[in-house]
Amino acid sequence: MSDVQATPGSQAALRRANRDRVTAALRESGTLTQAEIARATGLSAASVSNIVRDLRAVGAVSVRQTHSNGRRARAVTLRRSPGAVVGVDFGQGHITAALGDAEGATLARETIAYDVAADPGRGVRRAVWLVETVLAAARVDLSSVRAVCAAVPGPVDLDTGEVGAITCMPSWAGFRPGAELADRLGLPATAGNDANLAARAEMAEGAGRGLRHLVYVRLGEGVGAGVVVDGRVFPGAGGTAGEIGHLGLDERGLVCRCGNRGCLETQVGAGYLLEMVPARGAAGAPGSVAELVAAAGAGDPGSRRVVAEAGTALGRALAMLVNAFNPEALLIGGELAEAGEDLMDPMRRSLELGALGSAVQRLTVARGALGADAVLRGALMTAAASSDATV
């Protein structure tokens, strides 16, 4: 048997097939030298060498020097399920792409500043370029990737994969990022809400580890929550569960982009906060949530007041969730969470006033442990899980 010949368009699929032949031989026979793999699979020595290199890059095999028939050889041992996964985080002003192993552990990552909200098609094309850049730097062939998962700041319809109309990136409404990525990369790809993905990660390896019922709140341009019920993220019937930014707190308040008045987002969202904070002399007003948080941490009274009032409003909204879902933990993430106790203390006090005492008694309220990595970690875990289902 010889290496399969193919047209350029089918090269990636054939590389996957050849890699599967190599891993099947290792799974059946245990440790083999590269020469033995070539004989067992019928592949050329050069093809085996390239496949072993790719498998080693994603941690699927270990390689050690040995001797065979008096000559130096490389012994290859299968360590874990072969294949890699990719996670993509489409943020408001950035794209992050990460390469993970078959279990979803991060192997490499790269972030670029980019105006994602402007044009979803261009955003996906830029993300594809970034994925290819990460793979090239890690010396991993695209054929080694089993699945891709993208995170977006908005609800994603479970049936169609479309981004919902109330996303904080309006041009993405109705767009299908998973399908677009799948088409451009030639790989299985899905998309999910960023807060839901972060909740999955925090439950698996962060502040929610070991818990069955929790709510992860992500504070950004909008406000979203990942609701975990009995150990599983609860997306709702159409993917809009957890859109707590549109809980009504003040019927005479500002009109929200969703069309209602006084939504939580109009009191906690990034745009609202930056409009509220006063200029600080020659330094001017903070131009981002990170600058607002830094100013509050430095003792600026106006910034601290804005952060504290955001915490109070958030606590009122979260009291509704606590009464409705009775979670074991509330985990707070996103840029505004970096304000620490300037945000958390007024949030806790407001929450305690609005929630049932019996629910608060068993409730842990804390910042997420994974910080800015939570979304990407959740995307990699989801891609790994989906690849297990299709292998």
mmCIF file of all heavy atoms in Angstrom, residues 264-310:
data_model
loop_
_atom_site.group_PDB
_atom_site.id
_atom_site.type_symbol
_atom_site.label_atom_id
_atom_site.label_comp_id
_atom_site.label_asym_id
_atom_site.label_seq_id
_atom_site.Cartn_x
_atom_site.Cartn_y
_atom_site.Cartn_z
ATOM 1 N N LEU A 264 -31.226 46.468 33.081
ATOM 2 C CA LEU A 264 -29.964 46.424 33.824
ATOM 3 C C LEU A 264 -28.813 46.957 32.979
ATOM 4 O O LEU A 264 -27.939 47.657 33.481
ATOM 5 C CB LEU A 264 -29.674 44.987 34.263
ATOM 6 C CG LEU A 264 -28.318 44.735 34.928
ATOM 7 C CD1 LEU A 264 -28.190 45.509 36.231
ATOM 8 C CD2 LEU A 264 -28.105 43.242 35.147
ATOM 9 N N GLU A 265 -28.810 46.635 31.697
ATOM 10 C CA GLU A 265 -27.723 47.078 30.829
ATOM 11 C C GLU A 265 -27.600 48.595 30.774
ATOM 12 O O GLU A 265 -26.501 49.127 30.611
ATOM 13 C CB GLU A 265 -27.933 46.524 29.420
ATOM 14 C CG GLU A 265 -26.784 46.814 28.474
ATOM 15 C CD GLU A 265 -26.993 46.187 27.113
ATOM 16 O OE1 GLU A 265 -27.171 44.965 27.056
ATOM 17 O OE2 GLU A 265 -26.983 46.939 26.118
ATOM 18 N N THR A 266 -28.712 49.315 30.938
ATOM 19 C CA THR A 266 -28.656 50.777 30.902
ATOM 20 C C THR A 266 -28.062 51.348 32.179
ATOM 21 O O THR A 266 -27.847 52.566 32.278
ATOM 22 C CB THR A 266 -30.051 51.381 30.689
ATOM 23 O OG1 THR A 266 -30.886 51.125 31.834
ATOM 24 C CG2 THR A 266 -30.719 50.816 29.441
ATOM 25 N N GLN A 267 -27.786 50.480 33.156
ATOM 26 C CA GLN A 267 -27.181 50.937 34.400
ATOM 27 C C GLN A 267 -25.807 50.316 34.671
ATOM 28 O O GLN A 267 -25.067 50.802 35.527
ATOM 29 C CB GLN A 267 -28.113 50.622 35.582
ATOM 30 C CG GLN A 267 -29.480 51.281 35.441
ATOM 31 C CD GLN A 267 -30.383 51.023 36.631
ATOM 32 O OE1 GLN A 267 -29.928 50.971 37.768
ATOM 33 N NE2 GLN A 267 -31.672 50.866 36.379
ATOM 34 N N VAL A 268 -25.479 49.272 33.912
ATOM 35 C CA VAL A 268 -24.239 48.543 34.174
ATOM 36 C C VAL A 268 -23.393 48.359 32.909
ATOM 37 O O VAL A 268 -22.195 48.108 33.007
ATOM 38 C CB VAL A 268 -24.565 47.159 34.804
ATOM 39 C CG1 VAL A 268 -23.319 46.338 35.024
ATOM 40 C CG2 VAL A 268 -25.296 47.343 36.126
ATOM 41 N N GLY A 269 -23.990 48.481 31.728
ATOM 42 C CA GLY A 269 -23.254 48.287 30.487
ATOM 43 C C GLY A 269 -22.134 49.298 30.325
ATOM 44 O O GLY A 269 -22.180 50.415 30.855
ATOM 45 N N ALA A 270 -21.114 48.906 29.564
ATOM 46 C CA ALA A 270 -19.914 49.739 29.422
ATOM 47 C C ALA A 270 -20.233 51.136 28.907
ATOM 48 O O ALA A 270 -19.708 52.135 29.421
ATOM 49 C CB ALA A 270 -18.920 49.045 28.488
ATOM 50 N N GLY A 271 -21.079 51.228 27.874
ATOM 51 C CA GLY A 271 -21.393 52.539 27.308
ATOM 52 C C GLY A 271 -22.016 53.477 28.318
ATOM 53 O O GLY A 271 -21.655 54.662 28.406
ATOM 54 N N TYR A 272 -22.955 52.960 29.115
ATOM 55 C CA TYR A 272 -23.610 53.773 30.139
ATOM 56 C C TYR A 272 -22.603 54.242 31.185
ATOM 57 O O TYR A 272 -22.575 55.423 31.564
ATOM 58 C CB TYR A 272 -24.720 52.967 30.800
ATOM 59 C CG TYR A 272 -25.315 53.634 32.022
ATOM 60 C CD1 TYR A 272 -26.323 54.589 31.890
ATOM 61 C CD2 TYR A 272 -24.865 53.327 33.305
ATOM 62 C CE1 TYR A 272 -26.859 55.213 33.012
ATOM 63 C CE2 TYR A 272 -25.393 53.945 34.427
ATOM 64 C CZ TYR A 272 -26.389 54.888 34.271
ATOM 65 O OH TYR A 272 -26.904 55.505 35.375
ATOM 66 N N LEU A 273 -21.766 53.351 31.656
ATOM 67 C CA LEU A 273 -20.808 53.703 32.708
ATOM 68 C C LEU A 273 -19.855 54.804 32.258
ATOM 69 O O LEU A 273 -19.564 55.735 33.009
ATOM 70 C CB LEU A 273 -20.008 52.469 33.117
ATOM 71 C CG LEU A 273 -20.792 51.307 33.734
ATOM 72 C CD1 LEU A 273 -19.855 50.163 34.059
ATOM 73 C CD2 LEU A 273 -21.546 51.747 34.981
ATOM 74 N N LEU A 274 -19.395 54.704 31.026
ATOM 75 C CA LEU A 274 -18.421 55.686 30.542
ATOM 76 C C LEU A 274 -19.057 57.046 30.302
ATOM 77 O O LEU A 274 -18.384 58.076 30.366
ATOM 78 C CB LEU A 274 -17.752 55.167 29.269
ATOM 79 C CG LEU A 274 -16.907 53.901 29.469
ATOM 80 C CD1 LEU A 274 -16.325 53.427 28.153
ATOM 81 C CD2 LEU A 274 -15.795 54.136 30.490
ATOM 82 N N GLU A 275 -20.349 57.063 30.019
ATOM 83 C CA GLU A 275 -21.049 58.341 29.887
ATOM 84 C C GLU A 275 -21.260 59.003 31.244
ATOM 85 O O GLU A 275 -21.302 60.224 31.351
ATOM 86 C CB GLU A 275 -22.397 58.133 29.208
ATOM 87 C CG GLU A 275 -22.302 57.849 27.710
ATOM 88 C CD GLU A 275 -23.679 57.714 27.086
ATOM 89 O OE1 GLU A 275 -24.681 57.886 27.814
ATOM 90 O OE2 GLU A 275 -23.740 57.425 25.880
ATOM 91 N N MET A 276 -21.369 58.197 32.289
ATOM 92 C CA MET A 276 -21.669 58.718 33.616
ATOM 93 C C MET A 276 -20.449 59.270 34.345
ATOM 94 O O MET A 276 -20.550 60.214 35.115
ATOM 95 C CB MET A 276 -22.285 57.605 34.486
ATOM 96 C CG MET A 276 -23.702 57.229 34.088
ATOM 97 S SD MET A 276 -24.855 58.603 34.335
ATOM 98 C CE MET A 276 -24.801 58.758 36.131
ATOM 99 N N VAL A 277 -19.284 58.698 34.090
ATOM 100 C CA VAL A 277 -18.119 59.085 34.888
ATOM 101 C C VAL A 277 -17.635 60.477 34.477
ATOM 102 O O VAL A 277 -17.523 60.786 33.291
ATOM 103 C CB VAL A 277 -16.993 58.037 34.740
ATOM 104 C CG1 VAL A 277 -16.419 58.019 33.338
ATOM 105 C CG2 VAL A 277 -15.900 58.270 35.758
ATOM 106 N N PRO A 278 -17.370 61.338 35.433
ATOM 107 C CA PRO A 278 -16.908 62.694 35.107
ATOM 108 C C PRO A 278 -15.442 62.729 34.721
ATOM 109 O O PRO A 278 -14.671 61.825 35.031
ATOM 110 C CB PRO A 278 -17.143 63.455 36.423
ATOM 111 C CG PRO A 278 -16.999 62.402 37.488
ATOM 112 C CD PRO A 278 -17.568 61.142 36.886
ATOM 113 N N ALA A 279 -15.069 63.787 34.004
ATOM 114 C CA ALA A 279 -13.657 63.984 33.646
ATOM 115 C C ALA A 279 -12.842 64.241 34.906
ATOM 116 O O ALA A 279 -13.326 64.819 35.877
ATOM 117 C CB ALA A 279 -13.525 65.147 32.671
ATOM 118 N N ARG A 280 -11.583 63.808 34.874
ATOM 119 C CA ARG A 280 -10.692 63.976 36.027
ATOM 120 C C ARG A 280 -9.635 65.021 35.699
ATOM 121 O O ARG A 280 -8.475 64.715 35.456
ATOM 122 C CB ARG A 280 -10.048 62.641 36.395
ATOM 123 C CG ARG A 280 -11.053 61.597 36.848
ATOM 124 C CD ARG A 280 -10.379 60.275 37.198
ATOM 125 N NE ARG A 280 -9.771 59.664 36.026
ATOM 126 C CZ ARG A 280 -8.501 59.280 35.956
ATOM 127 N NH1 ARG A 280 -7.694 59.502 36.965
ATOM 128 N NH2 ARG A 280 -8.030 58.708 34.876
ATOM 129 N N GLY A 281 -10.042 66.248 35.638
ATOM 130 C CA GLY A 281 -9.106 67.330 35.377
ATOM 131 C C GLY A 281 -8.469 67.210 34.007
ATOM 132 O O GLY A 281 -9.116 66.889 33.022
ATOM 133 N N ALA A 282 -7.175 67.435 33.956
ATOM 134 C CA ALA A 282 -6.459 67.385 32.686
ATOM 135 C C ALA A 282 -6.436 65.984 32.097
ATOM 136 O O ALA A 282 -6.277 65.813 30.888
ATOM 137 C CB ALA A 282 -5.024 67.881 32.887
ATOM 138 N N ALA A 283 -6.618 64.976 32.942
ATOM 139 C CA ALA A 283 -6.579 63.590 32.462
ATOM 140 C C ALA A 283 -7.815 63.248 31.652
ATOM 141 O O ALA A 283 -7.820 62.274 30.902
ATOM 142 C CB ALA A 283 -6.451 62.629 33.649
ATOM 143 N N GLY A 284 -8.887 64.018 31.801
ATOM 144 C CA GLY A 284 -10.118 63.720 31.079
ATOM 145 C C GLY A 284 -10.852 62.536 31.687
ATOM 146 O O GLY A 284 -10.448 61.979 32.713
ATOM 147 N N ALA A 285 -11.942 62.153 31.040
ATOM 148 C CA ALA A 285 -12.741 61.027 31.530
ATOM 149 C C ALA A 285 -12.150 59.716 31.024
ATOM 150 O O ALA A 285 -11.535 59.671 29.957
ATOM 151 C CB ALA A 285 -14.185 61.165 31.046
ATOM 152 N N PRO A 286 -12.305 58.622 31.784
ATOM 153 C CA PRO A 286 -11.835 57.315 31.312
ATOM 154 C C PRO A 286 -12.475 56.963 29.971
ATOM 155 O O PRO A 286 -13.660 57.197 29.750
ATOM 156 C CB PRO A 286 -12.301 56.358 32.414
ATOM 157 C CG PRO A 286 -12.406 57.213 33.644
ATOM 158 C CD PRO A 286 -12.878 58.542 33.139
ATOM 159 N N GLY A 287 -11.693 56.387 29.083
ATOM 160 C CA GLY A 287 -12.193 56.040 27.760
ATOM 161 C C GLY A 287 -12.539 54.582 27.600
ATOM 162 O O GLY A 287 -12.991 54.162 26.528
ATOM 163 N N SER A 288 -12.346 53.787 28.638
ATOM 164 C CA SER A 288 -12.664 52.368 28.595
ATOM 165 C C SER A 288 -13.010 51.905 30.003
ATOM 166 O O SER A 288 -12.714 52.592 30.996
ATOM 167 C CB SER A 288 -11.473 51.567 28.058
ATOM 168 O OG SER A 288 -10.392 51.627 28.972
ATOM 169 N N VAL A 289 -13.621 50.733 30.105
ATOM 170 C CA VAL A 289 -13.934 50.189 31.422
ATOM 171 C C VAL A 289 -12.654 49.924 32.201
ATOM 172 O O VAL A 289 -12.605 50.140 33.413
ATOM 173 C CB VAL A 289 -14.775 48.897 31.282
ATOM 174 C CG1 VAL A 289 -14.944 48.209 32.638
ATOM 175 C CG2 VAL A 289 -16.141 49.209 30.689
ATOM 176 N N ALA A 290 -11.609 49.474 31.517
ATOM 177 C CA ALA A 290 -10.337 49.231 32.208
ATOM 178 C C ALA A 290 -9.799 50.515 32.832
ATOM 179 O O ALA A 290 -9.302 50.514 33.966
ATOM 180 C CB ALA A 290 -9.316 48.642 31.228
ATOM 181 N N GLU A 291 -9.922 51.633 32.121
ATOM 182 C CA GLU A 291 -9.471 52.917 32.668
ATOM 183 C C GLU A 291 -10.368 53.361 33.816
ATOM 184 O O GLU A 291 -9.893 53.934 34.798
ATOM 185 C CB GLU A 291 -9.454 53.970 31.571
ATOM 186 C CG GLU A 291 -8.375 53.744 30.517
ATOM 187 C CD GLU A 291 -8.388 54.817 29.431
ATOM 188 O OE1 GLU A 291 -9.164 55.793 29.576
ATOM 189 O OE2 GLU A 291 -7.634 54.675 28.460
ATOM 190 N N LEU A 292 -11.664 53.097 33.702
ATOM 191 C CA LEU A 292 -12.593 53.420 34.788
ATOM 192 C C LEU A 292 -12.229 52.644 36.047
ATOM 193 O O LEU A 292 -12.181 53.199 37.151
ATOM 194 C CB LEU A 292 -14.026 53.096 34.355
ATOM 195 C CG LEU A 292 -15.101 53.140 35.446
ATOM 196 C CD1 LEU A 292 -15.265 54.558 35.987
ATOM 197 C CD2 LEU A 292 -16.432 52.615 34.902
ATOM 198 N N VAL A 293 -11.971 51.349 35.888
ATOM 199 C CA VAL A 293 -11.600 50.499 37.023
ATOM 200 C C VAL A 293 -10.297 50.983 37.650
ATOM 201 O O VAL A 293 -10.160 51.045 38.875
ATOM 202 C CB VAL A 293 -11.481 49.032 36.565
ATOM 203 C CG1 VAL A 293 -10.817 48.178 37.640
ATOM 204 C CG2 VAL A 293 -12.854 48.477 36.206
ATOM 205 N N ALA A 294 -9.339 51.352 36.796
ATOM 206 C CA ALA A 294 -8.061 51.845 37.313
ATOM 207 C C ALA A 294 -8.242 53.148 38.077
ATOM 208 O O ALA A 294 -7.628 53.354 39.144
ATOM 209 C CB ALA A 294 -7.076 52.042 36.164
ATOM 210 N N ALA A 295 -9.096 54.034 37.566
ATOM 211 C CA ALA A 295 -9.337 55.304 38.245
ATOM 212 C C ALA A 295 -10.010 55.081 39.590
ATOM 213 O O ALA A 295 -9.674 55.730 40.592
ATOM 214 C CB ALA A 295 -10.192 56.209 37.357
ATOM 215 N N ALA A 296 -10.976 54.144 39.615
ATOM 216 C CA ALA A 296 -11.641 53.837 40.886
ATOM 217 C C ALA A 296 -10.644 53.265 41.879
ATOM 218 O O ALA A 296 -10.642 53.631 43.062
ATOM 219 C CB ALA A 296 -12.783 52.853 40.648
ATOM 220 N N GLY A 297 -9.769 52.382 41.390
ATOM 221 C CA GLY A 297 -8.758 51.789 42.268
ATOM 222 C C GLY A 297 -7.768 52.803 42.798
ATOM 223 O O GLY A 297 -7.216 52.639 43.888
ATOM 224 N N ALA A 298 -7.563 53.870 42.016
ATOM 225 C CA ALA A 298 -6.633 54.929 42.430
ATOM 226 C C ALA A 298 -7.294 55.932 43.357
ATOM 227 O O ALA A 298 -6.651 56.887 43.807
ATOM 228 C CB ALA A 298 -6.068 55.632 41.204
ATOM 229 N N GLY A 299 -8.590 55.734 43.627
ATOM 230 C CA GLY A 299 -9.280 56.594 44.589
ATOM 231 C C GLY A 299 -10.067 57.735 43.997
ATOM 232 O O GLY A 299 -10.579 58.581 44.746
ATOM 233 N N ASP A 300 -10.215 57.803 42.678
ATOM 234 C CA ASP A 300 -10.999 58.876 42.074
ATOM 235 C C ASP A 300 -12.445 58.763 42.544
ATOM 236 O O ASP A 300 -13.102 57.730 42.300
ATOM 237 C CB ASP A 300 -10.940 58.776 40.548
ATOM 238 C CG ASP A 300 -11.830 59.806 39.876
ATOM 239 O OD1 ASP A 300 -11.567 61.009 40.052
ATOM 240 O OD2 ASP A 300 -12.802 59.395 39.206
ATOM 241 N N PRO A 301 -12.989 59.779 43.217
ATOM 242 C CA PRO A 301 -14.324 59.652 43.820
ATOM 243 C C PRO A 301 -15.436 59.463 42.800
ATOM 244 O O PRO A 301 -16.381 58.691 43.038
ATOM 245 C CB PRO A 301 -14.492 60.960 44.607
ATOM 246 C CG PRO A 301 -13.510 61.911 44.009
ATOM 247 C CD PRO A 301 -12.368 61.078 43.545
ATOM 248 N N GLY A 302 -15.365 60.140 41.650
ATOM 249 C CA GLY A 302 -16.409 59.981 40.645
ATOM 250 C C GLY A 302 -16.439 58.574 40.079
ATOM 251 O O GLY A 302 -17.508 57.966 39.920
ATOM 252 N N SER A 303 -15.268 58.055 39.775
ATOM 253 C CA SER A 303 -15.191 56.695 39.231
ATOM 254 C C SER A 303 -15.657 55.673 40.254
ATOM 255 O O SER A 303 -16.365 54.709 39.921
ATOM 256 C CB SER A 303 -13.751 56.386 38.798
ATOM 257 O OG SER A 303 -13.335 57.255 37.770
ATOM 258 N N ARG A 304 -15.286 55.871 41.502
ATOM 259 C CA ARG A 304 -15.717 54.929 42.544
ATOM 260 C C ARG A 304 -17.229 54.958 42.717
ATOM 261 O O ARG A 304 -17.855 53.918 42.927
ATOM 262 C CB ARG A 304 -15.032 55.274 43.871
ATOM 263 C CG ARG A 304 -13.529 55.041 43.869
ATOM 264 C CD ARG A 304 -12.967 55.096 45.272
ATOM 265 N NE ARG A 304 -13.441 53.966 46.070
ATOM 266 C CZ ARG A 304 -13.182 53.821 47.372
ATOM 267 N NH1 ARG A 304 -12.460 54.747 48.013
ATOM 268 N NH2 ARG A 304 -13.617 52.768 48.019
ATOM 269 N N ARG A 305 -17.817 56.146 42.601
ATOM 270 C CA ARG A 305 -19.268 56.248 42.726
ATOM 271 C C ARG A 305 -19.974 55.520 41.580
ATOM 272 O O ARG A 305 -20.959 54.799 41.800
ATOM 273 C CB ARG A 305 -19.684 57.731 42.743
ATOM 274 C CG ARG A 305 -21.191 57.982 42.842
ATOM 275 C CD ARG A 305 -21.776 57.421 44.146
ATOM 276 N NE ARG A 305 -23.192 57.697 44.259
ATOM 277 C CZ ARG A 305 -23.714 58.737 44.918
ATOM 278 N NH1 ARG A 305 -22.902 59.616 45.512
ATOM 279 N NH2 ARG A 305 -25.011 58.911 44.983
ATOM 280 N N VAL A 306 -19.479 55.678 40.363
ATOM 281 C CA VAL A 306 -20.078 55.012 39.207
ATOM 282 C C VAL A 306 -19.983 53.495 39.358
ATOM 283 O O VAL A 306 -20.948 52.767 39.110
ATOM 284 C CB VAL A 306 -19.396 55.478 37.904
ATOM 285 C CG1 VAL A 306 -19.814 54.601 36.729
ATOM 286 C CG2 VAL A 306 -19.746 56.932 37.623
ATOM 287 N N VAL A 307 -18.832 52.996 39.786
ATOM 288 C CA VAL A 307 -18.658 51.562 39.972
ATOM 289 C C VAL A 307 -19.575 51.041 41.083
ATOM 290 O O VAL A 307 -20.213 49.989 40.948
ATOM 291 C CB VAL A 307 -17.185 51.231 40.284
ATOM 292 C CG1 VAL A 307 -17.035 49.775 40.726
ATOM 293 C CG2 VAL A 307 -16.315 51.494 39.065
ATOM 294 N N ALA A 308 -19.660 51.783 42.182
ATOM 295 C CA ALA A 308 -20.501 51.359 43.302
ATOM 296 C C ALA A 308 -21.974 51.310 42.915
ATOM 297 O O ALA A 308 -22.701 50.367 43.270
ATOM 298 C CB ALA A 308 -20.298 52.289 44.494
ATOM 299 N N GLU A 309 -22.445 52.311 42.169
ATOM 300 C CA GLU A 309 -23.852 52.307 41.754
ATOM 301 C C GLU A 309 -24.128 51.175 40.767
ATOM 302 O O GLU A 309 -25.219 50.597 40.772
ATOM 303 C CB GLU A 309 -24.212 53.669 41.153
ATOM 304 C CG GLU A 309 -24.275 54.778 42.201
ATOM 305 C CD GLU A 309 -24.777 56.097 41.635
ATOM 306 O OE1 GLU A 309 -24.941 56.194 40.404
ATOM 307 O OE2 GLU A 309 -24.995 57.023 42.444
ATOM 308 N N ALA A 310 -23.146 50.851 39.946
ATOM 309 C CA ALA A 310 -23.300 49.694 39.058
ATOM 310 C C ALA A 310 -23.432 48.425 39.884
ATOM 311 O O ALA A 310 -24.251 47.545 39.577
ATOM 312 C CB ALA A 310 -22.107 49.594 38.111
#
